Amino acid sequence: MSQISKEQVLKSLSKVDDPDLKKDLVTLGMIKNLEVGDARISFAVELTTPACPLKELIRSQCEDVIYADFGEAVELSILMTSNVTSIRNNAPLLPGVKNIIAISSGKGGVGKSTVTSNLAVALARSGASVGIIDADIFGPSIPTMFNCEHEQPGIIEKNGKNVIVPIEQYGVKLISIGFLTPPDNAVVWRGPMASSALKQFIGDTEWGELDYLLIDLPPGTSDIHLTLVQTVPVTGAVVVTTPQKVALADAQKAYSMFKQPQINVPVLGIIENMSYFTPEELPNNKYYLFGQNGGKLFAEKNNAPFLGEVPLVQSIRESGDSGYPAVMKDGITADAFNGIAQAVAQQVAMRNAAKEKTKVVEVNV
Amino acid sequence: MSQISKEQVLKSLSKVDDPDLKKDLVTLGMIKNLEVGDARISFAVELTTPACPLKELIRSQCEDVIYADFGEAVELSILMTSNVTSIRNNAPLLPGVKNIIAISSGKGGVGKSTVTSNLAVALARSGASVGIIDADIFGPSIPTMFNCEHEQPGIIEKNGKNVIVPIEQYGVKLISIGFLTPPDNAVVWRGPMASSALKQFIGDTEWGELDYLLIDLPPGTSDIHLTLVQTVPVTGAVVVTTPQKVALADAQKAYSMFKQPQINVPVLGIIENMSYFTPEELPNNKYYLFGQNGGKLFAEKNNAPFLGEVPLVQSIRESGDSGYPAVMKDGITADAFNGIAQAVAQQVAMRNAAKEKTKVVEVNV
């Protein structure tokens, strides 16, 4: 075999497309550290997220084209790496955060915080750097779900300003009003007070570098939601619902809010929670306690990606209550959440490649 | 037998206590229209609510003392009536409403609107006049639960002012933002706008005479809650929770809000929803999907009445979604809600007899 050139390898690899971004790996600039030698090729494929569900597919397609063009005898080494994409640059607030993802539901109690916790842990375990802002000022669940209800965030001075240091648990950085007030006390505040707490969590908290910052929104479509979109440009929003009609009605309201022309936050997709219950004694029975396929039909109706469904499993609630997100254990639930985390990361990458920057909403909306 | 006097009958009846109010029926003024004749006694017992769970007990105790004192031969006729008590008089707002009951939960999605709907229908079916204000401006569920999503309330002129006429369904008067906005649209309002909608539902709506006006509160402890207690004195509050830890944490916040000295609304009791699931195929199995006894322990811890538990039955959710509150059908669920409605009515009567008027909260809280 003659000497291999880098150009030949790149030509070969340009036959492999990223199935999501629908362009080839070379055009997308995803081939890094290419080195060639005598019957030896090595390079890295830099994916748009460590949680990429297509990682193994892309690797094997690269192998296929290289072996086809240079023969099976070539010594091939492919490193799959990632560099999470972002459309945020030179942002005045949260400059080190690549993507801000709002998790909303319209209706409360559909498992938004459970989904947020499990998504965050799943993304962190895939290798991403992840944070959560618990924006549910009146019903903060994140401290319970991460088993750190009694932690207190530190305060440090930075550039002459006091900033909050998030709690770190299971590899995820966290901030919540729950860390700052006694658990049994009600925070009885009108909107502006709640909004100023959120602004502190965004502007006066030491987030550092993050691939994904998840915002666990409260139910409804009011002050906190408006303050969020008026304070930082949100990369995309995820809507969580159960299949129940009254939950879907409120999910529709949340969806419509993000779609309002003056708000205009891309919706990354829909997650259906509490899809069905399966008792251990009747493993083939699915009880659709809250109705069937509501989330999927909702996604179809709105032409939004359906990111996955989570069964109603006693252990998910028990995990939440005991402070260990269910995704940390093996099993059907962990699989569901890992799949959804991959789907969310995938949608973020596609959104970043295809759509314009989100704009901060004008304050006089 | 000698001629019977009214005094003798009253003396006899003064041996019967109202078990809740712990005073005798005569002292309480509950004996009405007493008539005596030759071996003939007739009177009415005016209970404090038509939903009184002790109705038959009190009737049989009256029979027992009369027969004991005047002989079995006496011709006795007892009419059980009711006149719902109130501590609201000369109220500038809602003058015809005897009792204002806030239904809250802290956390969303625990079934607050389901409980409100079923309570209202159960009270109405017992003979009470009942209304609901759906104060969940951002997630109104009442129109769906009453199968009148497409109704539009009329507007009439009264004393030179335009007032809203509530929708009437299943014997319950209803008002909701859901009647006034398209279902798919989000009401994206900051707190003051939402508060002014609530004020209209209270002050500019033609409620007429009502025994019970239930207020279905949104999740949280913010603008709507403050506006309610600052606008009208609330007779009492009911807290709905599931047995789940994160729901109990928020229920505690709602409870604490009502107990705050400057708010000071009596808590009538705690209702536990979604207590357990029983599949039809395994009628003896109870799956405590959300944990066990959380509501009861919460009530004990706070020294508040436990008003009852509602099982997680598929038909309840289906009833809610289809617009026929489950209490309208026979069965275990209807029994549960009827029992809870009686317990609530009982607590209202006890509260009215024992506790001071609730005060409107000063606006500068």
Side-chain angles (χ1 to χ4, degrees), chain A residues 108-109 183-184 186-187 189-191 221-223 227 230 244-245 253 256 277 281 287-289 291 314 317 321, chain B residues 108-109 183-184 186-187 189-191 221-223 227 230 244-245 253 256 277 281 287-289 291 314 317 321:
Chain A
D184 286 358
V187 172
W189 284 348
R190 288 198 176 266
T221 51
S222 188
D223 292 85
T227 298
Q230 288 173 354
Q244 191 176 3
K245 191 173 171 190
K253 290 179 196 300
S256 304
F277 169 62
E281 294 84 344
Y287 292 93
Y288 294 95
L289 294 178
Q314 209 154 330
R317 193 272 311 160
D321 277 3
Chain B
D184 286 358
V187 172
W189 285 347
R190 287 198 177 268
T221 51
S222 188
D223 292 86
T227 298
Q230 288 173 355
Q244 191 176 3
K245 190 174 171 189
K253 290 179 196 300
S256 305
F277 168 63
E281 294 84 345
Y287 292 93
Y288 294 95
L289 294 177
Q314 209 155 329
R317 191 273 310 159
D321 276 2

Side-chain angles (χ1 to χ4, degrees), chain A residues 106-111 113-114 136-141 144-145 149 181-192 194-195 219-228 230 243-247 249-250 252-254 256-257 260 263 274 277 279-282 285 287-292 301 312-314 317-318 320-322 365, chain B residues 106-111 113-114 136-141 144-145 149 181-192 194-195 219-228 230 243-247 249-250 252-254 256-257 260 263 274 277 279-282 285 287-292 301 312-314 317-318 320-322 365:
Chain A
K107 187 165 175 64
V110 302
S113 300
T114 301
D136 196 347
I137 305 296
F138 305 106
S141 301
T144 303
M145 298 207 166
E149 292 150 284
T181 54
D184 286 358
N185 274 32
V187 172
V188 190
W189 284 348
R190 288 198 176 266
S195 290
T221 51
S222 188
D223 292 85
I224 288 286
H225 309 77
L226 283 169
T227 298
L228 175 65
Q230 288 173 354
Q244 191 176 3
K245 191 173 171 190
V246 289
D250 292 358
Q252 185 68 58
K253 290 179 196 300
S256 304
M257 171 181 69
Q260 285 194 0
I263 291 182
M274 306 193 202
F277 169 62
E280 272 175 58
E281 294 84 344
L282 298 169
N285 282 30
Y287 292 93
Y288 294 95
L289 294 178
F290 297 106
Q292 202 171 346
K301 178 185 156 201
L312 176 55
V313 177
Q314 209 154 330
R317 193 272 311 160
E318 283 166 2
D321 277 3
S322 69
V365 164
Chain B
K107 189 165 174 63
V110 301
S113 300
T114 301
D136 196 347
I137 305 296
F138 305 106
S141 301
T144 303
M145 298 207 167
E149 293 150 284
T181 53
D184 286 358
N185 273 34
V187 172
V188 190
W189 285 347
R190 287 198 177 268
S195 290
T221 51
S222 188
D223 292 86
I224 287 287
H225 309 78
L226 283 169
T227 298
L228 175 64
Q230 288 173 355
Q244 191 176 3
K245 190 174 171 189
V246 290
D250 292 359
Q252 185 68 59
K253 290 179 196 300
S256 305
M257 170 182 67
Q260 285 193 1
I263 290 182
M274 306 192 201
F277 168 63
E280 274 175 58
E281 294 84 345
L282 298 169
N285 282 29
Y287 292 93
Y288 294 95
L289 294 177
F290 297 107
Q292 202 171 347
K301 178 185 154 201
L312 177 56
V313 177
Q314 209 155 329
R317 191 273 310 159
E318 284 166 1
D321 276 2
S322 69
V365 164

Side-chain angles (χ1 to χ4, degrees), chain A residues 71-228:
Chain A
E72 296 278 342
V74 75
E75 191 191 317
L76 175 62
S77 152
I78 307 177
L79 181 67
M80 302 302 286
T81 66
S82 67
N83 184 12
V84 173
T85 56
S86 178
I87 43 146
R88 308 188 69 232
N89 22 36
N90 303 320
L93 284 171
L94 300 171
V97 174
K98 288 186 170 179
N99 295 288
I100 300 172
I101 304 171
I103 318 278
S104 77
S105 66
K107 187 165 175 64
V110 302
K112 194 173 27 59
S113 300
T114 301
V115 167
T116 305
S117 309
N118 280 286
L119 275 186
V121 173
L123 289 169
R125 285 157 74 104
S126 80
S129 49
V130 185
I132 297 179
I133 291 181
D134 184 355
D136 196 347
I137 305 296
F138 305 106
S141 301
I142 294 296
T144 303
M145 298 207 166
F146 278 84
N147 195 28
C148 51
E149 292 150 284
H150 304 291
E151 300 276 332
Q152 291 205 320
I155 304 285
I156 56 167
E157 210 188 284
K158 202 182 161 184
N159 306 329
K161 198 167 96 169
N162 284 337
V163 291
I164 307 169
V165 182
I167 302 293
E168 196 160 339
Q169 181 80 315
Y170 311 140
V172 179
K173 290 184 181 174
L174 310 168
I175 195 70
S176 169
I177 196 85
F179 297 137
L180 307 168
T181 54
D184 286 358
N185 274 32
V187 172
V188 190
W189 284 348
R190 288 198 176 266
M193 285 280 282
S195 290
S196 86
L198 175 62
K199 282 185 194 157
Q200 275 208 293
F201 292 165
I202 292 171
D204 302 339
T205 302
E206 179 59 12
W207 288 110
E209 308 276 320
L210 291 181
D211 293 321
Y212 305 102
L213 177 60
L214 310 188
I215 318 281
D216 187 12
L217 285 171
T221 51
S222 188
D223 292 85
I224 288 286
H225 309 77
L226 283 169
T227 298
L228 175 65

Side-chain angles (χ1 to χ4, degrees), chain B residues 51-348:
Chain B
C52 180
L54 305 166
K55 193 188 282 188
E56 291 314 310
L57 177 76
I58 292 174
R59 178 203 291 273
S60 87
Q61 289 184 344
C62 289
E63 287 169 354
D64 290 350
V65 295
I66 296 290
Y67 289 132
D69 289 346
F70 303 97
E72 296 279 341
V74 74
E75 192 192 315
L76 175 63
S77 154
I78 307 178
L79 181 67
M80 303 302 286
T81 66
S82 66
N83 183 12
V84 173
T85 56
S86 178
I87 43 146
R88 308 189 68 232
N89 23 36
N90 303 319
L93 284 171
L94 300 172
V97 174
K98 288 186 169 178
N99 294 289
I100 301 171
I101 303 171
I103 318 278
S104 77
S105 66
K107 189 165 174 63
V110 301
K112 194 172 27 61
S113 300
T114 301
V115 167
T116 306
S117 309
N118 280 287
L119 275 185
V121 172
L123 289 169
R125 286 158 74 104
S126 80
S129 50
V130 185
I132 298 178
I133 291 180
D134 184 354
D136 196 347
I137 305 296
F138 305 106
S141 301
I142 294 297
T144 303
M145 298 207 167
F146 278 83
N147 195 29
C148 51
E149 293 150 284
H150 304 292
E151 300 276 333
Q152 290 204 321
I155 304 285
I156 57 168
E157 209 188 285
K158 203 182 161 184
N159 306 329
K161 198 168 97 168
N162 284 337
V163 291
I164 308 170
V165 182
I167 302 293
E168 197 161 338
Q169 182 78 315
Y170 312 139
V172 179
K173 291 184 180 174
L174 309 168
I175 194 70
S176 169
I177 196 86
F179 297 137
L180 308 168
T181 53
D184 286 358
N185 273 34
V187 172
V188 190
W189 285 347
R190 287 198 177 268
M193 285 280 282
S195 290
S196 86
L198 176 63
K199 282 185 192 157
Q200 274 208 292
F201 292 165
I202 292 172
D204 302 339
T205 301
E206 178 58 13
W207 289 109
E209 308 275 320
L210 289 181
D211 292 322
Y212 304 104
L213 177 59
L214 310 187
I215 318 282
D216 187 12
L217 285 171
T221 51
S222 188
D223 292 86
I224 287 287
H225 309 78
L226 283 169
T227 298
L228 175 64
V229 296
Q230 288 173 355
T231 306
V232 283
V234 174
T235 309
V238 169
V239 178
V240 183
T241 186
T242 69
Q244 191 176 3
K245 190 174 171 189
V246 290
L248 289 165
D250 292 359
Q252 185 68 59
K253 290 179 196 300
Y255 184 88
S256 305
M257 170 182 67
F258 291 120
K259 286 287 178 186
Q260 285 193 1
Q262 74 276 29
I263 290 182
N264 198 22
V265 169
V267 175
L268 302 169
I270 313 299
I271 298 171
E272 183 184 291
N273 193 26
M274 306 192 201
S275 297
Y276 52 83
F277 168 63
T278 297
E280 274 175 58
E281 294 84 345
L282 298 169
N284 299 320
N285 282 29
K286 288 183 174 184
Y287 292 93
Y288 294 95
L289 294 177
F290 297 107
Q292 202 171 347
N293 278 332
K296 206 171 280 181
L297 296 172
F298 173 77
E300 277 170 24
K301 178 185 154 201
N302 287 290
N303 203 15
F306 184 66
L307 302 170
E309 61 181 22
V310 185
L312 177 56
V313 177
Q314 209 155 329
S315 63
I316 298 182
R317 191 273 310 159
E318 284 166 1
S319 299
D321 276 2
S322 69
Y324 297 91
V327 75
M328 293 172 71
K329 297 169 195 154
D330 287 335
I332 170 182
T333 313
D335 294 347
F337 281 122
N338 279 315
I340 291 171
Q342 290 180 343
V344 170
Q346 197 174 13
Q347 290 298 330
V348 169

Side-chain angles (χ1 to χ4, degrees), chain A residues 228-361:
Chain A
L228 175 65
V229 296
Q230 288 173 354
T231 307
V232 283
V234 174
T235 309
V238 169
V239 178
V240 183
T241 186
T242 70
Q244 191 176 3
K245 191 173 171 190
V246 289
L248 290 165
D250 292 358
Q252 185 68 58
K253 290 179 196 300
Y255 184 87
S256 304
M257 171 181 69
F258 291 120
K259 286 287 178 185
Q260 285 194 0
Q262 75 274 29
I263 291 182
N264 199 21
V265 170
V267 175
L268 302 168
I270 313 299
I271 298 171
E272 184 184 289
N273 193 25
M274 306 193 202
S275 296
Y276 52 83
F277 169 62
T278 298
E280 272 175 58
E281 294 84 344
L282 298 169
N284 299 319
N285 282 30
K286 289 183 173 182
Y287 292 93
Y288 294 95
L289 294 178
F290 297 106
Q292 202 171 346
N293 278 331
K296 205 170 280 181
L297 296 171
F298 173 77
E300 277 170 22
K301 178 185 156 201
N302 287 290
N303 203 14
F306 183 67
L307 302 170
E309 60 181 23
V310 185
L312 176 55
V313 177
Q314 209 154 330
S315 63
I316 297 182
R317 193 272 311 160
E318 283 166 2
S319 300
D321 277 3
S322 69
Y324 297 91
V327 76
M328 294 171 70
K329 297 169 194 153
D330 286 336
I332 170 182
T333 313
D335 293 347
F337 280 121
N338 279 316
I340 291 171
Q342 290 181 343
V344 170
Q346 197 173 14
Q347 291 297 331
V348 170
M350 288 164 69
R351 178 256 174 278
N352 287 347
K355 290 206 181 91
E356 279 187 16
K357 237 167 138 155
T358 311
K359 289 196 183 74
V360 172
V361 175

